[in-house]
Amino acid sequence: MQIGELAKRTGCESETIRYYEREGLLPAPARSSSGYRRYEQPHLEQLAFILHCRSLGMPLADIRLLAGFHQQPAAEPCDRVNALIDQQISRVHSQIEALQKLEIQLQQLRARCDSPHTLADCGILKTLDDAATGEACACHDAS
Amino acid sequence: MQIGELAKRTGCESETIRYYEREGLLPAPARSSSGYRRYEQPHLEQLAFILHCRSLGMPLADIRLLAGFHQQPAAEPCDRVNALIDQQISRVHSQIEALQKLEIQLQQLRARCDSPHTLADCGILKTLDDAATGEACACHDAS
DNA sequence: TGCAAACCCTGTAGCTACTATAAGGTCAAG
DNA sequence: CTTGACCTTATAGTAGCTACAGGGTTTGCA
């Protein structure tokens, strides 16, 4: 199949497929006489593997490693696979924690301006300005 | 003060300060005879304002807008300020939700390989492979 | 046969918010 | 007078694409 059909079947844009090839995540496929890429079933599976990992937020470098484990002797222990997943879990977990703190801070800032004001009276701008002059701010000090 | 001292006082690297100037977030300061940037108190406050907004995860484009409200007539209503904060809250909120789903999926994937295995037996790799061939996967179908 | 639409190709630049480097100028202390 | 710490600009790199520009190919239709 051509790149466009692979794209349609996987829901991944052609340009992204070419990008994965450049990045060494997808093997370069055979070419037609006019230079068009010709993909077979294994390419589709490899791409689906990549997209599935991406949907789990894995970085491309990790996916490259994961994909590499297929080429290794099957008797090798899989602890490095587990380590990659564990890393990803802890990355995601700490992002969640950081964002939750952020949300609280933003809510506190937002509460400074609950009714319509002018710019001069806006509690939000005032709070941001106060923070800029070194004073305590609702968003960061209330924690 | 020179850029290095501004950097030290704000905890922001000199290169980042120059970057903010290029991006139009900080006004270009006066220069010494040898071309060194000379900052005054207002620059410090403006930079602190920017950094405070950044610590709330606001994109630079929004901070540019927020900073612009200082130059506008103080009698203007502040609803656009509120809108920016609300946008940021909803961005952060949906990021949290997406990451929480992700974490669940990753935990489910991780549970596929709880004891030491070989690559051939690794439930994680197997699950990822199954997904690539179109089968149901523990991480995405269990939701 | 001619032409247009829908494909495909490569190469390059853009996005966010920095960070890092190279290659050089300036300034104060010893 | 030299050393080291500062400063300057310009450029390239980071992640993971996305969006061109400028061309070639293929297919279908009149």
Side-chain angles (χ1 to χ4, degrees):
Chain A
M1 79 196 92
Q2 294 187 166
I3 197 170
E5 197 185 335
L6 181 59
K8 204 176 299 171
R9 284 212 215 170
T10 55
C12 175
E13 303 225 354
S14 301
E15 321 228 297
T16 306
I17 296 172
R18 284 191 280 257
Y19 171 71
Y20 288 159
E21 182 183 325
R22 276 202 304 284
E23 292 299 304
L25 285 152
L26 271 177
R31 299 284 185 130
S32 74
S33 58
S34 57
Y36 288 14
R37 287 171 180 82
R38 294 235 154 269
Y39 293 100
E40 309 295 334
Q41 184 68 17
H43 292 105
L44 193 144
E45 284 166 24
Q46 174 85 350
L47 179 55
F49 178 89
I50 295 169
L51 294 175
H52 189 231
C53 292
R54 283 297 297 138
S55 80
L56 293 169
M58 310 277 300
L60 295 184
D62 286 7
I63 298 173
R64 219 187 315 261
L65 290 177
L66 278 179
F69 290 127
H70 290 279
Q71 271 81 53
Q72 295 197 6
E76 289 283 305
C78 69
D79 45 355
R80 290 182 56 208
V81 173
N82 299 20
L84 284 179
I85 305 299
D86 285 339
Q87 261 176 44
Q88 176 65 6
I89 289 173
S90 79
R91 262 195 304 259
V92 167
H93 195 78
S94 51
Q95 276 176 36
I96 290 172
E97 285 183 347
L99 286 170
Q100 280 171 339
K101 278 185 199 150
L102 219 52
E103 192 178 6
I104 290 170
Q105 290 162 2
L106 283 163
Q107 301 279 12
Q108 276 159 353
L109 179 61
R110 183 63 179 84
R112 287 310 183 97
C113 181
D114 39 5
S115 55
H117 291 290
T118 62
L119 284 177
D121 283 335
C122 179
I124 292 177
L125 271 186
K126 213 175 292 176
T127 305
L128 290 171
D129 284 347
D130 287 353
T133 53
E135 287 173 48
C137 59
C139 29
H140 284 91
D141 286 358
S143 62
Chain B
M1 81 195 90
Q2 293 190 166
I3 198 170
E5 198 186 335
L6 181 60
K8 205 176 298 168
R9 284 212 216 169
T10 55
C12 175
E13 303 224 355
S14 302
E15 322 228 298
T16 306
I17 296 173
R18 283 190 280 257
Y19 171 71
Y20 288 159
E21 182 183 325
R22 276 201 305 282
E23 292 297 304
L25 285 153
L26 271 177
R31 298 286 184 129
S32 75
S33 58
S34 57
Y36 287 16
R37 289 172 179 82
R38 293 234 154 272
Y39 293 99
E40 309 296 334
Q41 184 66 16
H43 291 104
L44 193 144
E45 284 166 25
Q46 174 85 349
L47 180 54
F49 178 90
I50 296 168
L51 293 175
H52 189 230
C53 292
R54 283 296 298 136
S55 79
L56 293 168
M58 310 275 302
L60 294 186
D62 287 7
I63 299 174
R64 220 187 314 260
L65 290 177
L66 278 179
F69 290 127
H70 290 280
Q71 271 80 54
Q72 295 198 4
E76 289 281 307
C78 69
D79 46 355
R80 291 182 55 209
V81 173
N82 299 20
L84 285 178
I85 305 298
D86 285 340
Q87 262 178 43
Q88 175 66 6
I89 289 173
S90 79
R91 261 196 306 260
V92 167
H93 195 79
S94 52
Q95 276 176 36
I96 290 172
E97 285 183 349
L99 287 170
Q100 280 171 339
K101 277 187 200 149
L102 218 53
E103 190 177 5
I104 290 168
Q105 291 163 1
L106 283 163
Q107 302 278 12
Q108 275 158 355
L109 179 60
R110 183 62 178 87
R112 288 312 185 93
C113 182
D114 39 5
S115 56
H117 291 290
T118 62
L119 283 177
D121 283 336
C122 179
I124 292 178
L125 271 185
K126 214 175 290 176
T127 304
L128 290 171
D129 284 346
D130 287 354
T133 53
E135 287 174 48
C137 60
C139 28
H140 283 90
D141 286 357
S143 62

